[in-house]
Amino acid sequence: MVAPRVYEALSQPLVGHLDPYFFELSEQVRSLLGHVYSTKNEFNIAVSGTGSSGMEAAVANFAEPGVKFALLTNGFFGDRIGEMARRQGAGVARLAKNWGEPFDPQEAREFIRRERPRVVAFVQAETSTGMFNDARPISEAAHEVDALVIADCVTSLGGMPVRVDENGIDIAYSCTQKGLSCPPGLSPMTVSPRALERLRARKSTVQSWYLDLLLLEGYYFGHKYHHTASATMLYALREGLALIAEEGVENGWERHRRNHLAFVSGIEAMGLRMHVAEGHRLWTLNTPCVPEGVDDARVRQYLLQERGMEIAGGFGPLAGKVFRIGLMGHGSTAENVLMVLEALESALKQQGYKPAGDSRAAAEKSLGATV
Ligand SMILES: *Cc1c(COP(=O)(O)O)cnc(C)c1O
């Protein structure tokens, strides 16, 4: 959901991509990104392109052809990183789990120590499954073998504790359209000094000209033309980030946690199960299992057509098995939790599902208990 103030920001008068005000704007975004990513890094930019452009920038700049690239994957977006690394000519070593199954920290550490890669990548918030992957064991082992850590924070930034510095993440990227309450169009990235040093020492040129981070450094920090970035999208991003800073980054996480817990209470009261084990769930994206005998496509169609509500279905190995329900950014409100629970319950009843208990009462109780 796009925040009203972001819609307003989108209508501000345009300035050119080399205007002094454009660089004031990108400087404000740089500083706000450092705050929201919880990092002292100075290299914080918004790459022109959606979340996948940040993923591609991370991979193209740090996975030189021929290097060992260790990937920990338990979902669709993890696999996408692996495919990008393969196309860059990196040697990809995979530690793969079923979609929505957590990594065993010890197994993750042993995998990295054994492979001794130059780069380790994982997805912090796996949107295909609703799972949060803990950075700590991964980054600790990666730093032991002097590898850089790439973290996909697309569905965690703005909604969950990303904590780039504390978690030892070297390269993080996200997008504007999930936890930041903006339209799609930019990929906010942060890069550690250690990673930049590695990049400056790189022998081969980065295969992607458009996503070459040192060329982008020349643009955003050296004010030299590289491409025509959109001031409009930067207005939106600045506003989305300012909203988070005004609420307080940690207060925002707490709001997401509280609404997620209330949603889960309602779902379980209804008699549905969550796909991801407790303690590993995203607060931004919820994945209740589709109950036996219910057609998930019909549920989604009912919600969209009768209630004007869009939820997503599962795909890949989770096709037809889970719903994916986003409660992120501007959309994470107690009101939305109660509204979607009620609508989902109606949709399920239409197909003969009998709710076990009172989902609204359970959600309200949870909201009251976690104020
Ligand atoms: C959405 C998403 C992406 C891709 O972002 P786009 O904006 O669709 O390019 C990458 N990783 C994760 C975890 C995502 O949820």
Side-chain angles (χ1 to χ4, degrees):
M1 310 263 308
V2 173
R5 264 174 57 183
V6 172
Y7 277 125
E8 260 174 60
L10 283 162
S11 65
Q12 283 171 23
L14 201 63
V15 292
H17 60 290
L18 294 171
D19 192 285
Y21 186 70
F22 176 89
F23 292 115
E24 242 178 74
L25 179 62
S26 63
E27 175 55 29
Q28 288 166 357
V29 165
R30 190 189 71 76
S31 155
L32 283 163
L33 275 180
H35 181 60
V36 174
Y37 266 124
S38 314
T39 180
K40 292 201 176 68
N41 292 345
E42 289 183 357
F43 193 105
N44 312 321
I45 62 168
V47 175
S48 296
T50 64
S52 303
S53 73
M55 184 189 286
E56 193 123 41
V59 173
N61 283 269
F62 298 99
E64 262 186 278
V67 304
K68 174 79 75 79
F69 187 102
L71 173 71
L72 293 96
T73 176
N74 51 5
F76 175 80
F77 290 103
D79 291 347
R80 180 180 287 185
I81 301 176
E83 172 59 12
M84 287 185 183
R86 188 188 68 75
R87 290 180 182 214
Q88 291 296 333
V92 182
R94 284 161 50 96
L95 177 64
K97 291 277 168 197
N98 290 334
W99 284 30
E101 200 181 302
F103 298 106
D104 169 40
Q106 192 52 29
E107 190 186 7
R109 282 191 203 98
E110 279 163 13
F111 164 68
I112 294 164
R113 286 176 189 144
R114 183 175 67 243
E115 295 292 342
R116 305 193 69 79
R118 292 292 280 163
V119 186
V120 178
F122 75 103
V123 177
Q124 188 181 45
E126 185 47 87
T127 324
S128 60
T129 64
M131 170 140 221
F132 188 80
N133 290 311
D134 182 14
R136 280 303 183 81
I138 298 170
S139 66
E140 282 167 11
H143 290 188
E144 267 174 41
V145 301
D146 198 29
L148 295 174
V149 178
I150 296 176
D152 179 315
C153 303
V154 170
T155 305
S156 44
L157 189 67
M160 295 191 75
V162 171
R163 298 189 201 275
V164 161
D165 288 359
E166 212 178 297
N167 278 322
I169 295 166
D170 292 290
I171 301 113
Y173 57 85
S174 188
C175 73
T176 39
Q177 78 272 21
K178 290 174 188 165
L180 305 186
S181 314
C182 294
L186 293 176
S187 179
M189 269 188 100
T190 183
V191 181
S192 72
R194 194 169 91 93
L196 278 177
E197 215 175 282
R198 182 81 62 90
L199 185 56
R200 293 190 208 289
R202 186 179 156 143
K203 295 205 176 63
S204 59
T205 49
V206 174
Q207 159 277 334
S208 168
W209 178 89
Y210 193 68
L211 298 172
D212 183 324
L213 289 177
L214 295 182
L215 293 181
L216 291 174
E217 180 184 46
Y219 177 32
Y220 288 106
F221 307 134
H223 304 183
K224 277 204 306 273
Y225 168 67
H226 175 262
H227 69 287
T228 311
S230 163
T232 304
M233 275 311 299
L234 280 177
Y235 294 145
L237 177 57
R238 176 177 62 180
E239 204 61 25
L241 293 170
L243 283 167
I244 292 172
E246 284 168 27
E247 179 179 18
V249 177
E250 301 198 358
N251 295 338
W253 298 341
E254 184 51 30
R255 169 170 56 84
H256 282 80
R257 191 181 75 94
R258 178 170 177 259
N259 291 328
H260 157 75
L261 291 176
F263 178 79
V264 172
S265 300
I267 283 294
E268 289 177 346
M270 229 183 265
L272 267 53
R273 253 178 352 94
M274 294 296 287
H275 173 64
V276 174
E278 197 178 348
H280 298 278
R281 294 173 190 152
L282 296 181
W283 303 340
T284 44
L285 192 280
N286 302 277
T287 46
C289 297
V290 177
E292 195 95 17
V294 167
D295 173 0
D296 87 297
R298 273 179 63 200
V299 169
R300 285 184 285 118
Q301 192 180 23
Y302 170 86
L303 291 178
L304 190 61
Q305 289 178 352
E306 306 298 323
R307 304 301 191 98
M309 246 179 247
E310 189 187 14
I311 67 163
F315 59 101
L318 297 180
K321 295 188 176 149
V322 298
F323 299 113
R324 296 185 305 130
I325 302 179
L327 287 166
M328 57 182 88
H330 182 68
S332 172
T333 64
E335 202 178 41
N336 282 351
V337 168
L338 299 177
M339 194 167 72
V340 72
L341 283 171
E342 187 276 321
L344 183 63
E345 196 170 301
S346 298
L348 293 172
K349 280 179 181 162
Q350 280 221 322
Q351 292 189 44
Y353 180 79
K354 294 200 174 41
D358 188 339
S359 64
R360 184 180 180 95
E364 279 179 337
K365 184 163 170 242
S366 167
L367 286 166
T370 55
V371 164

